[in-house]
Amino acid sequence: MASRFAQLAQSLAPQLPAAVIAQTRDSAGLPDAPDGMAGLFDAVLLDCDASTGMRTVISEHGLASALYAAAAMTSAVFSLWSKQSGESMDELISSHA
């Protein structure tokens, strides 16, 4: 499941507005962000390498943290994109996921 979240975010990366990527990066770096979210963000949204990002987070933080980080990152992407575009999250997911 964690890999699917990361792959979804990776597939959306080229379509994301720069502001959404920047805001997601900021939220990934906050002290209360899930363990591994910042590293996963870099691998998935900047390098478009979800597989390596997931392996790294799993090896450094464990499977549960990887799932939480991937879900939180993907949720942040859709939430921020929804706010910026004015489309609902349902509309974005239906048209881009």
Side-chain angles (χ1 to χ4, degrees), residues 30-70:
L30 294 174
D32 62 344
D35 291 340
M37 187 173 164
L40 188 60
F41 166 86
D42 289 343
V44 173
L45 295 180
L46 299 182
D47 299 336
C48 289
D49 190 356
S51 297
T52 300
M54 288 304 299
R55 281 193 301 272
T56 301
V57 173
I58 289 168
S59 70
E60 292 178 1
H61 302 284
L63 187 56
S65 291
L67 175 59
Y68 184 38

Side-chain angles (χ1 to χ4, degrees), residues 8-18 20-21 45 48 77-78 81 84 92 95-97:
L8 173 60
Q10 175 182 311
S11 70
L12 296 173
Q15 304 171 52
L16 293 174
V20 170
I21 292 174
L45 295 180
C48 289
V77 164
F78 275 110
W81 197 7
Q84 184 174 12
L92 286 172
S95 62
H96 298 283

